[in-house]
Amino acid sequence: MDTVVERELELNLVLSPEYSVPVPARLTYRTDDPYAVRVTFHIGSDSPVEWAFARELLVEGVFRPCGQGDVRVWPTKADGRSVLCFALSSPDGDALLEAPSDAVYAWVERTLRIVPPGTEAARLGLDGELADLLAPTPSDDPRSRGQWPSDESREGEA
């Protein structure tokens, strides 16, 4: 059974050191994709913008700066409150967003209680599927199809 952990919250899109605009967002974690988290931004267009990245990045980013490339996360203070910053980069542009640290941390904790770190692979069932895929079947045994040459016959002999 797939479990979904969601949290609606308001992020601030930082446009300059003095100016930011609120952006409604949703954090989503699904146990059928246990390594990933998704942040969906509702920016007033017909289709929301969704970013997916490693849950581990967010777990670490709550405590210290981490990430490189497209997604970077770090905790800081803004106007006397604790926030979590997300720096997102894409070919379409860059964005810096601030989220309330307490809300993100509580949501991350919920995901960790449902799927503790190190147990994600078991959720995917990859070991069982791989074993099934690699398990020999009776039709894989060449002896059962009479394809093994007899020790008594040699090539060219009938």
Side-chain angles (χ1 to χ4, degrees):
M1 183 173 93
D2 182 33
T3 300
V4 179
V5 180
E6 291 187 315
R7 172 77 191 244
E8 299 281 341
L9 66 149
E10 188 171 272
L11 305 181
N12 286 318
L13 174 61
V14 178
L15 300 175
S16 74
E18 301 81 29
Y19 186 68
S20 63
V21 295
V23 176
R26 178 185 309 118
L27 300 172
T28 305
Y29 178 76
R30 301 178 65 94
T31 58
D32 67 347
D33 190 6
Y35 290 105
V37 295
R38 287 175 169 62
V39 182
T40 305
F41 303 101
H42 304 281
I43 55 173
S45 65
D46 288 339
S47 52
V49 175
E50 182 178 274
W51 279 73
F53 52 91
R55 177 176 73 157
E56 185 177 329
L57 179 70
L58 190 54
V59 169
E60 186 177 333
V62 168
F63 299 105
R64 65 188 140 276
C66 66
Q68 57 187 4
D70 295 349
V71 180
R72 291 175 294 133
V73 182
W74 67 94
T76 192
K77 297 270 187 194
D79 298 326
R81 65 193 205 306
S82 295
V83 295
L84 191 61
C85 291
F86 293 85
L88 307 175
S89 297
S90 79
D92 295 329
D94 300 326
L96 175 62
L97 296 125
E98 294 175 346
S101 290
D102 291 344
V104 175
Y105 182 77
W107 178 80
V108 167
E109 282 293 309
R110 285 178 54 207
T111 74
L112 295 173
R113 282 194 303 272
I114 292 170
V115 179
T119 67
E120 295 92 348
R123 287 285 179 166
L124 294 175
L126 291 178
D127 291 337
E129 289 182 33
L130 187 57
D132 289 346
L133 183 64
L134 297 176
T137 64
S139 64
D140 290 335
D141 186 351
R143 293 173 295 189
S144 67
R145 295 187 305 228
Q147 292 181 348
W148 287 105
S150 164
D151 288 340
E152 293 131 21
S153 67
R154 300 198 193 322
E155 259 186 63
E157 293 183 280

